[in-house]
């Protein structure tokens, strides 16, 4: 069974950083999540950037529904597969 990569989409960098920190506390994630700036197509302004928090789940133990509810606390969502 291959690992799963969960991509959480957040509205800004602060929300992404807070989410990454809270992931470790709430879900017991050992590895540091990857934060990635995702500029919207055609936009150069940093204000128009979303941030992604990428979580590797090699044992497939994270529940996508719970992750989506969790990231919703920061006005974000779990990107579909």
């Amino acid at each position: 069974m291959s690992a799963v990569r969960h991509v959480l989409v957040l509205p800004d960098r602060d929300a992404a950083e807070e989410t990454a920190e809270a992931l470790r506390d709430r879900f017991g994630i050992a590895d540091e999540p990857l934060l990635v700036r995702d500029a919207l197509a055609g936009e150069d302004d940093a204000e128009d950037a979303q941030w992604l928090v990428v979580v590797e789940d090699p044992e497939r133990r994270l529940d996508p529904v719970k992750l989506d509810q969790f990231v919703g606390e920061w006005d974000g969502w779990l990107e579909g597969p």
Side-chain angles (χ1 to χ4, degrees):
M1 187 181 304
S2 62
V4 173
R5 176 176 289 154
H6 302 283
V7 178
L8 311 177
V9 182
L10 283 301
D12 57 49
R13 183 178 186 152
D14 289 341
E17 290 174 347
E18 290 175 21
T19 300
E21 183 68 32
L23 274 167
R24 290 191 292 276
D25 296 338
R26 190 163 320 169
F27 292 96
I29 294 172
D31 294 334
E32 183 77 22
L34 176 66
L35 274 64
V36 179
R37 181 180 176 270
D38 183 35
L40 299 176
E43 298 293 334
D44 294 328
D45 188 350
E47 296 297 318
D48 293 323
Q50 296 174 329
W51 281 78
L52 308 178
V53 176
V54 181
V55 181
E56 298 294 335
D57 187 10
E59 290 136 17
R60 295 178 169 249
R61 65 179 190 84
L62 299 174
D63 181 344
V65 172
K66 289 183 180 177
L67 280 175
D68 190 48
Q69 292 169 344
F70 167 77
V71 76
E73 296 174 21
W74 287 272
D75 295 325
W77 64 90
L78 176 66
E79 189 68 27

